Amino acid sequence: MTWAPPDGAGRAVLPLGLGAPWVLVRAPAGIHHWMVCHSTEPMIRAPGGASAWLLDAAALAGWERRYEMLLPHIRLVTSGTAVVPGAGCTRGPGLHWVRPRGLPPEQWVADVLCLADDLATACVVRGWPLGPLPP
């Protein structure tokens, strides 16, 4: 799904949950630095260091088990709302986007499989145990 945040320094509130087009993946500050250096996906950085990624709920369907092995290190947020920064928010200290070099300017939603692989690698690098691999 193609989506873009509002221009400038504004914010958008996106619905999460049953029938909503979005899922949010949240990860603790401990893997932020690895993800900034190595991930290929657009990331939302929150004050305090937590990171989040916006996923297309339809693209995630069928791949949820790929994320199960990352629990309890990450959390799939599937209810409520997500506040995302505007496209012009690319530096902290507040809520802002971290966009890898070479990322197409129209890509604001993370690729489901690439993000799962990046997060799994980041957890291993940190020494965090992964759950059982999905069948």
Side-chain angles (χ1 to χ4, degrees):
M1 171 181 288
T2 301
W3 173 86
D7 289 335
R11 292 186 178 183
V13 178
L14 303 177
L16 305 172
L18 189 60
W22 309 113
V23 171
L24 195 71
V25 177
R26 287 193 179 161
I31 63 172
H32 169 76
H33 293 293
W34 190 93
M35 294 296 285
V36 166
C37 293
H38 302 286
S39 180
T40 60
E41 302 308 308
M43 176 172 54
I44 301 166
R45 178 75 190 249
S51 302
W53 295 265
L54 191 61
L55 296 179
D56 177 346
L60 180 63
W63 293 105
E64 295 91 342
R65 293 185 56 98
R66 190 78 171 253
Y67 284 84
E68 287 176 11
M69 69 182 193
L70 301 171
L71 301 173
H73 311 303
I74 62 108
R75 191 170 75 130
L76 289 176
V77 183
T78 58
S79 64
T81 58
V83 177
V84 297
C89 297
T90 56
R91 297 195 188 277
L95 190 67
H96 64 281
W97 289 97
V98 177
R99 295 181 47 81
R101 286 193 181 137
L103 189 69
E106 69 278 0
Q107 184 180 350
W108 297 91
V109 179
D111 178 276
V112 170
L113 296 178
C114 290
L115 180 61
D117 288 347
D118 288 349
L119 287 169
T121 303
C123 288
V124 168
V125 167
R126 291 282 305 166
W128 297 346
L130 298 179
L133 294 174

